[in-house]
């Protein structure tokens, strides 16, 4: 087999596509072996007197049915294999099923065919080294600590009657009636209801009507209840006005009511640590997302539709599978959430478009920074996957080799290195522009242990590495699931 490659100009209606043409020539003697194989296949399906199934020799079959049927079968079976070999030889990064045109050899002689292949484009991400990411402040402010103290102290407060007009924050006991066209509005007719003024639970303007009222007052007004679009007529009788009386917070109170602390300062310091940890975890959870979002923003070209559709198909399939595992159909979930199939798919398509752009951007960073993959990286990845799927690393390696997917795995490793590079170099600040300690975000300990996140754009879960019967040799398998289902967890 001989093959050549040349670029192809995309059609005017699809200028973003990057195309190449593979031209393959198969020697007649080489293709004759494929014809032999086709005859053996036909022999298993054709019954001839005097021969057991599958045992009729080629010369007998050829005399009985001719060579055309076997040659046609050989073309169907062998052309994808020859194409796969040519793709591997020229390192063609396919993102869609090639269009094959057999130009010679359907009847006799050498087999020649052309394959127009859409390949992954290369993009530029100028400015990737100077990205700036804003994350929540990882240090608790005094106001946050004050709010936490107040929340706890209110649990120990007591309501006391007051003889004054209602103020925001008061607890009022009400008789509430709401009607619309003379009919009671469900949920808005009650007696002896205790309500904290300022919560805004009932309707816009409801709390404002209460302010300034006193015990014994009857209030009538019109408002649109929350969650509805039509006005209702309200009648509110004020039965009681109370205020929350809070205990004085001192060391003695803390020692008595907040068991593990003896002083206010100790308690506040603990709250600061707790709130700081919560904020740090929040910042960590957003770091990868915001860094990659900033990188994606540098990609000015459209994502290839083939990459988007491939990722979208995987997302829909995985979503349906997750629902099935939970005993829920997609239709039931859509109905429960008030969505239609179109809007559901469109939302997933937005994620797929971002994933495709992220794939291109990370590859661009890897190329620009000359981030390579060696055997040590590959073996470490086999070991990582083996641990994840509960198999031996050697079995995982054999599965990837059998599936002709080692190159794809290498690309994923380089993308992971690109993501690591990005997280190490992006500027990280809080909302006030103050730098955030990167080591804390990446969860490094004092021994220099690095952060751990899922590999960029690659999901190994559910992949069966124990079988070598996956059909990756026919150049029809779309490996591009980059960006799917990746929870970069720290």
């Amino acid at each position: 087999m001989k093959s050549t490659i040349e670029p192809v100009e995309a059609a005017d209606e699809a200028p973003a596509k990057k195309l190449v043409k593979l031209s393959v020539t198969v020697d007649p003697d080489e293709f004759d072996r494929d014809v032999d194989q086709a005859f053996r296949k036909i022999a298993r399906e054709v019954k001839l007197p005097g021969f057991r199934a599958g045992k009729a020799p080629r010369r007998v079959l050829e005399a009985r049915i001719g060579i055309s049927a076997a040659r046609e079968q050989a073309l169907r079976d062998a052309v994808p294999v020859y194409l796969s070999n040519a793709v591997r030889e020229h390192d063609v990064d396919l993102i869609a099923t090639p269009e094959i045109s057999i130009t010679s050899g359907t009847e006799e002689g050498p087999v020649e065919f052309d394959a127009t292949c859409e390949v992954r484009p290369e993009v530029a991400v100028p400015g990737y080294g100077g990205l700036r990411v804003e994350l929540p402040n990882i240090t608790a402010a005094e106001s946050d600590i004050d709010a936490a103290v107040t929340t706890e102290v209110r649990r120990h407060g007591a309501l006391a009657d007051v003889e004054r007009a209602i103020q925001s924050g008061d607890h009022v006991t009400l008789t509430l009636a709401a009607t619309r066209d003379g009919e009671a509005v469900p949920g808005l007719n009650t007696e002896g209801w205790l309500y904290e003024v300022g919560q805004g639970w009932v309707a816009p303007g409801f709390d404002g009507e209460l302010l300034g009222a006193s015990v014994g007052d009857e209030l009538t007004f019109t408002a649109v209840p929350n969650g509805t679009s039509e006005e209702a007529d309200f009648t509110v009788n004020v039965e009681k006005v109370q205020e929350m009386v809070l205990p004085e917070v001192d060391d003695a109170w803390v020692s008595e009511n907040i068991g593990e602390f003896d002083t206010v300062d100790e308690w506040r310091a603990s709250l600061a640590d707790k709130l700081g940890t919560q904020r740090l975890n929040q910042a960590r959870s957003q770091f990868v997302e915001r860094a990659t979002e900033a990188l994606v923003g540098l990609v000015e070209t459209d994502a290839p539709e083939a990459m988007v559709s491939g990722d979208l198909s995987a997302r829909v399939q995985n979503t349906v599978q997750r629902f099935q595992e939970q005993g829920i159909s997609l239709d039931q979930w859509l109905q429960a959430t008030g969505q239609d199939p179109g809007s559901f798919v469109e939302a997933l398509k937005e994620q797929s478009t971002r994933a495709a752009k992220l794939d291109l951007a990370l590859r661009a960073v890897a190329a620009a920074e000359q981030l390579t993959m060696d055997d040590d990286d590959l073996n470490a990845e086999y070991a990582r996957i083996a641990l994840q799927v509960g198999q031996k690393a050697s079995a995982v390696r054999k599965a990837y080799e059998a599936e002709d997917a080692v190159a794809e795995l290498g690309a994923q490793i380089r993308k992971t290195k690109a993501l690591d590079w990005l997280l190490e170099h992006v500027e990280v600040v809080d909302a006030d522009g103050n730098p955030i300690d990167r080591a804390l975000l990446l969860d490094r300990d004092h021994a220099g242990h690095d952060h751990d996140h899922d590999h960029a754009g690659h999901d190994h879960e559910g992949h069966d590495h124990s079988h070598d019967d996956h059909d990756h040799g026919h150049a029809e398998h779309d490996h591009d699931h980059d960006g799917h289902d990746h929870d970069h967890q720290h």
Side-chain angles (χ1 to χ4, degrees):
M1 185 198 85
K2 297 179 180 178
S3 63
T4 60
I5 187 171
E6 60 179 314
V8 176
E9 187 173 343
D12 292 339
E13 63 270 18
K17 284 188 176 182
K18 184 178 179 181
L19 304 174
V20 298
K21 183 174 75 174
L22 288 171
S23 297
V24 179
T25 300
V26 183
D27 183 85
D29 291 338
E30 185 177 2
F31 187 69
D32 195 55
R33 290 192 289 271
D34 299 308
V35 175
D36 274 340
Q37 181 65 31
F39 270 118
R40 286 193 288 271
K41 188 174 185 179
I42 292 172
R44 293 193 293 269
E45 301 171 357
V46 175
K47 294 182 178 179
L48 293 179
F51 297 96
R52 289 180 296 169
K55 297 301 182 179
R58 170 175 172 171
R59 57 182 175 77
V60 175
L61 288 169
E62 192 169 344
R64 178 65 64 90
I65 65 175
I67 196 173
S68 296
R71 196 171 181 90
E72 182 179 342
Q73 182 68 52
L75 287 171
R76 283 197 300 267
D77 293 342
V79 165
V81 177
Y82 289 124
L83 173 58
S84 180
N85 292 336
V87 166
R88 190 182 308 110
E89 177 186 352
H90 295 282
D91 195 22
V92 178
D93 191 4
L94 288 175
I95 61 172
T97 303
E99 296 180 3
I100 300 175
S101 174
I102 299 177
T103 58
S104 178
T106 55
E107 300 294 336
E108 60 181 3
V111 172
E112 297 179 355
F113 65 89
D114 295 332
T116 302
C117 308
E118 183 177 1
V119 298
R120 195 184 317 270
E122 296 177 356
V123 303
V125 283
Y128 70 86
L131 291 175
R132 178 185 174 103
V133 171
E134 181 181 303
L135 296 175
N137 194 323
I138 62 175
T139 302
E142 286 298 315
S143 58
D144 298 321
I145 301 172
D146 291 341
V149 168
T150 299
T151 298
E152 179 61 27
V153 171
R154 285 176 65 86
R155 294 180 59 248
H156 299 268
L159 293 178
D161 294 348
V162 293
E163 296 181 0
R164 58 166 173 75
I166 296 173
Q167 299 176 1
S168 182
D170 284 346
H171 293 252
V172 294
T173 302
L174 309 173
T175 293
L176 176 64
T179 60
R180 185 181 290 123
D181 297 329
E183 298 291 331
V185 178
L188 292 179
N189 288 266
T190 184
E191 296 180 358
W193 180 45
L194 183 63
Y195 175 65
E196 182 179 353
V197 180
Q199 296 296 308
W201 288 353
V202 181
F206 179 88
D207 294 51
E209 295 286 346
L210 297 178
L211 296 176
S214 301
V215 173
D217 288 350
E218 181 176 275
L219 310 174
T220 58
F221 53 90
T222 300
V224 179
N226 292 340
T228 70
S229 58
E230 297 182 10
E231 291 185 335
D233 297 319
F234 284 87
T235 300
V236 179
N237 293 97
V238 181
E239 300 174 358
K240 185 184 295 186
V241 179
Q242 297 173 299
E243 64 179 3
M244 178 69 70
V245 178
L246 302 179
E248 181 181 355
V249 179
D250 54 19
D251 292 348
W253 184 88
V254 168
S255 179
E256 182 179 350
N257 294 277
I258 312 295
E260 65 269 39
F261 306 108
D262 293 324
T263 67
V264 174
D265 289 343
E266 289 177 359
W267 183 34
R268 290 181 66 88
S270 174
L271 288 173
D273 288 342
K274 180 179 179 181
L275 293 171
T277 298
Q278 292 174 350
R279 285 176 171 269
L280 177 58
N281 289 335
Q282 181 184 13
R284 284 174 177 166
S285 69
Q286 296 178 14
F287 186 25
V288 171
E289 179 182 359
R290 294 196 179 182
T292 53
E293 192 67 40
L295 181 65
V296 167
L298 300 178
V299 180
E300 296 181 352
T301 58
D302 292 335
E305 186 58 35
M307 291 180 64
V308 175
S309 60
D311 184 90
L312 178 60
S313 176
R315 287 180 189 274
V316 172
Q317 183 177 354
N318 283 356
T319 301
V320 171
Q321 182 177 344
R322 284 199 296 267
F323 285 148
Q324 289 176 342
E325 290 171 352
Q326 298 171 15
I328 305 172
S329 71
L330 179 60
D331 289 340
Q332 290 173 326
W333 184 80
L334 291 175
Q335 185 175 5
T337 57
Q339 297 185 67
D340 61 82
S343 60
F344 166 72
V345 172
E346 190 60 33
L348 289 183
K349 187 174 182 179
E350 291 181 8
Q351 299 176 33
S352 294
T353 300
R354 179 190 180 279
K357 286 190 172 185
L358 177 58
D359 170 86
L360 298 177
L362 287 174
R363 290 171 188 262
V365 172
E369 294 299 323
Q370 299 180 340
L371 304 175
T372 60
M373 184 275 300
D374 57 26
D375 289 342
D376 289 341
D377 295 323
L378 203 55
N379 290 331
E381 183 64 3
Y382 288 143
R384 190 188 79 87
I385 300 170
L387 184 62
Q388 186 177 8
V389 299
Q391 297 185 22
K392 293 182 178 180
S394 58
V396 173
R397 175 178 56 79
K398 289 180 181 178
Y400 269 91
E401 291 173 349
E403 296 172 358
D404 196 22
V406 176
E408 175 195 0
L409 184 59
Q412 301 298 340
I413 292 172
R414 293 181 69 230
K415 285 168 56 181
T416 297
K417 289 187 175 185
L419 177 57
D420 288 337
W421 188 97
L422 181 68
L423 298 181
E424 291 285 357
H425 290 82
V426 67
E427 182 184 2
V428 192
V429 299
D430 61 23
D432 298 322
N434 301 313
I436 296 178
D437 187 348
R438 190 189 314 275
L440 289 175
L441 291 173
L442 297 181
D443 197 17
R444 296 193 188 105
D445 59 27
H446 296 295
H449 178 69
D450 253 344
H451 62 288
D452 179 28
H453 55 78
D454 289 344
H455 283 235
H458 198 61
D459 182 11
H460 301 290
E461 291 185 10
H463 187 83
D464 186 358
H465 298 281
S466 62
H467 301 286
D468 293 343
D469 56 354
H470 301 281
D471 183 14
H472 288 261
H474 287 217
E476 299 171 339
H477 183 83
D478 182 5
H479 290 292
D480 183 50
H481 303 300
D482 297 333
H484 179 70
D485 231 0
H486 313 294
D487 303 324
H488 299 278
Q489 293 178 352
H490 294 267

